[in-house]
Amino acid sequence: MDSNQSPALLQAIQLLQQGHPVALPTETVYGLAAPITNESALGKIFSIKQRPFFDPLIVHVNSIEMAKTCFQEWPSIAQTLAQKFWPGPLTLVMKKSSLIPGLVTSGLENVGVRWPRHDLFNEVIRQMSTPLAAPSANLFGRTSPTIAQHVKDEFAQKVFVVDGGPCQVGIESTVLLIESNSLGAAQNFQLSLLRQGQVSENQITDSLALEKNWSWLPLEKVNPKSSPGHMKHHYMPSIPLILVQGQQEEAQLLKKIEKRFQEIPDVVESVKIIKPQWPLKNIATLTLSKDSVLAARQLYAELRSASQSDADLILFQCLALHSSPDWQSIMDRLQKAASLIID
Ligand code: TXA
Ligand code: MG
C-alpha cells in the first residue's frame, strides 16, 4: 500500500487537525508531534509527557525553505550545515522568528529546528503544511522510544502511534547552538554542542572548513539560559542502571553499590533517581554491540527490555573501547541514564 495513503497516516492527520498530538517515527527516536500553530495541542504535549515548561521543544520541518521561516536569520553557516546533514540528526538552535510561539521555546529567544530523515514524518509535515514540534515520545526524564511498541507501553491508549519500524539512529539528534555577535560590521558566530548525537563535533568542524568568522564555545561557557533541558540525569530506565569501570569482584561491587545508594539524594534537578529494592535478587547485564552505530540503535530497546525483566538493577561494564570518540554520544546517554557510576 502507498504509505502516503495508509490508514494510520490518515488517522494521524485527522487527529492532528483535531488538536491531538500523535507519535511519529523519525530516524533518531519516536517523537510526540503537534503543529506549531495549535497552542492547545502543544500544551497537551507537555501534559501527556509530564514535561516541565522550562524544557523547549524541537521544531521539525521538511525543507530548508521551511526551516528558514522559523528563524530570524539564516547565516551561511546554517546553509552549509543544513546542506550537509539534512535531512538528518542535527538540530540547529538560533534566534526564532515570530512564527514560533513562546510555548515551543519555553519563552526563549532561540528555537531548535531540524529536518528529520523519515518519509512518514516528512509526509505528515507536507499534509499539515506547517512545522511540527515534537519532543521524544516518552515520559519526562525517561528512556526515548525507538520502536512503536515503546510508545504504546509508555502511554497506552492516550497516544496514537504511526508505526514506521525501528529507528535507524537510535539516539536523539545532535543539538547545535549558533549564536552571533556583531563585531563592528563583521558578524562572528559561536557554536556550542548542547547535546551530543550521531553528527559529531569533528564532522561539524570539517563541514565548515570553508566558512569564516566562527569558533567553538565550550558548553561550560554557554549562558545556562541558552541551554535548558540539560539535566544531569535523563533517559532513565525504570530500574536503576549502574555503570561500572572495568571488571570488579561481584560481592565487593554489591557492597559498594549499597553504600553509594544510601548516600545519593532521591531527586536531582527535578528528576527522580531510580533506586533498587533491597535485598537484591536478580541483576541484569546490559550488553551492546562493539560497533558504535549498532550499539546506538540497540541502546534504548535493551535498557527497556532489561527494565521489564525481573531484575532489580542493570549493570553496564565500561571498557577501553567505550572511550573512543564514536562512543561519546552513547556514553553521554548511559551516564545520564545511570543512577550510579562506580569507579
Ligand atoms: O532526535 C531528536 O531530537 C528527537 C526527535 C523526536 O526529533 N527529539 C528530541 O526532543 O529529542 P526532546 O524534547 O526530547 O529534546 C529536545 C532538547 C531539549 O531538552 C533541549 O535540551 C534542546 O533539545 N532544545 C530544544 N529547543 C531548544 C532551544 N530553543 N534552546 C536550547 N536547547 C533547545
Ligand atoms: Mg527527550
Side-chain angles (χ1 to χ4, degrees):
M1 187 187 299
D2 178 356
S3 69
N4 295 357
Q5 304 300 332
S6 81
L9 201 82
L10 287 176
Q11 193 169 345
I13 302 286
Q14 262 174 13
L15 287 166
L16 287 168
Q17 283 166 345
Q18 291 160 6
H20 303 292
V22 296
L24 299 174
T26 82
E27 79 285 33
T28 58
V29 300
Y30 275 72
L32 184 60
I36 61 163
T37 45
N38 186 334
E39 296 231 2
S40 135
L42 294 172
K44 287 182 195 164
I45 291 182
F46 287 90
S47 55
I48 293 170
K49 276 187 60 103
Q50 297 168 21
R51 181 180 175 112
F53 284 105
F54 65 74
D55 196 4
L57 307 179
I58 291 176
V59 171
H60 297 69
V61 296
N62 66 356
S63 67
I64 291 182
E65 283 318 301
M66 192 184 267
K68 286 183 187 174
T69 66
C70 300
F71 295 117
Q72 244 172 52
E73 270 191 280
W74 184 253
S76 128
I77 288 183
Q79 179 69 19
T80 303
L81 291 171
Q83 278 175 337
K84 170 83 185 167
F85 297 109
W86 283 358
L90 175 67
T91 297
L92 300 181
V93 177
M94 299 189 293
K95 288 263 171 317
K96 77 174 191 72
S97 72
S98 57
L99 194 71
I100 308 294
L103 194 51
V104 165
T105 63
S106 307
L108 298 171
E109 286 185 352
N110 288 335
V111 64
V113 176
R114 80 179 194 97
W115 176 359
R117 193 175 61 222
H118 199 295
D119 291 346
L120 282 171
F121 205 118
N122 286 313
E123 179 58 21
V124 175
I125 299 173
R126 192 187 70 77
Q127 293 197 29
M128 294 297 293
S129 311
T130 167
L132 299 178
S136 51
N138 52 278
L139 288 167
F140 179 67
R142 304 299 280 273
T143 313
S144 294
T146 51
I147 56 172
Q149 188 61 43
H150 293 162
V151 184
K152 292 179 191 156
D153 293 345
E154 193 111 335
F155 296 119
Q157 305 303 318
K158 260 198 262 171
V159 173
F160 179 74
V161 193
V162 178
D163 191 342
C167 300
Q168 287 302 298
V169 174
I171 56 173
E172 305 81 353
S173 62
T174 304
V175 177
L176 180 70
L177 172 68
I178 305 180
E179 288 198 303
S180 103
N181 326 322
S182 295
L183 292 174
Q187 240 187 340
N188 195 43
F189 295 93
Q190 290 186 315
L191 273 53
S192 308
L193 265 197
L194 299 185
R195 181 172 72 187
Q196 302 194 34
Q198 196 187 58
V199 174
S200 68
E201 184 172 325
N202 284 345
Q203 282 175 298
I204 294 170
T205 303
D206 289 348
S207 70
L208 295 178
L210 299 178
E211 293 287 338
K212 297 193 183 75
N213 304 326
W214 73 273
S215 56
W216 283 108
L217 181 70
L219 191 53
E220 311 83 73
K221 295 204 174 150
V222 173
N223 181 343
K225 271 196 190 149
S226 302
S227 166
H230 291 276
M231 283 71 63
K232 217 168 153 201
H233 289 286
H234 213 127
Y235 323 108
M236 278 195 167
S238 58
I239 60 170
L241 168 71
I242 295 159
L243 306 192
V244 180
Q245 304 296 334
Q247 290 267 341
Q248 302 208 17
E249 197 275 313
E250 189 173 306
Q252 266 191 346
L253 177 64
L254 292 180
K255 261 194 216 150
K256 268 195 220 170
I257 291 175
E258 184 158 7
K259 181 166 177 291
R260 288 283 302 282
F261 265 116
Q262 285 161 2
E263 296 161 1
I264 59 173
D266 290 336
V267 175
V268 175
E269 295 172 352
S270 64
V271 178
K272 183 170 172 278
I273 303 301
I274 311 290
K275 294 187 174 182
Q277 301 285 337
W278 305 99
L280 299 178
K281 288 187 286 292
N282 292 309
I283 296 178
T285 323
L286 173 66
T287 324
L288 297 174
S289 166
K290 289 197 164 69
D291 176 331
S292 61
V293 172
L294 296 181
R297 211 175 279 166
Q298 297 168 332
L299 176 66
Y300 290 145
E302 290 295 323
L303 282 176
R304 274 176 190 261
S305 68
S307 307
Q308 282 157 5
S309 69
D310 58 359
D312 304 298
L313 54 82
I314 312 168
L315 286 184
F316 179 76
Q317 211 179 63
C318 304
L319 306 171
L321 86 114
H322 300 139
S323 340
S324 76
D326 55 326
W327 274 82
Q328 253 177 25
S329 50
I330 301 170
M331 293 314 291
D332 166 73
R333 302 304 191 277
L334 281 170
Q335 281 154 9
K336 290 194 169 124
S339 296
L340 267 187
I341 300 177
I342 306 271
D343 296 320

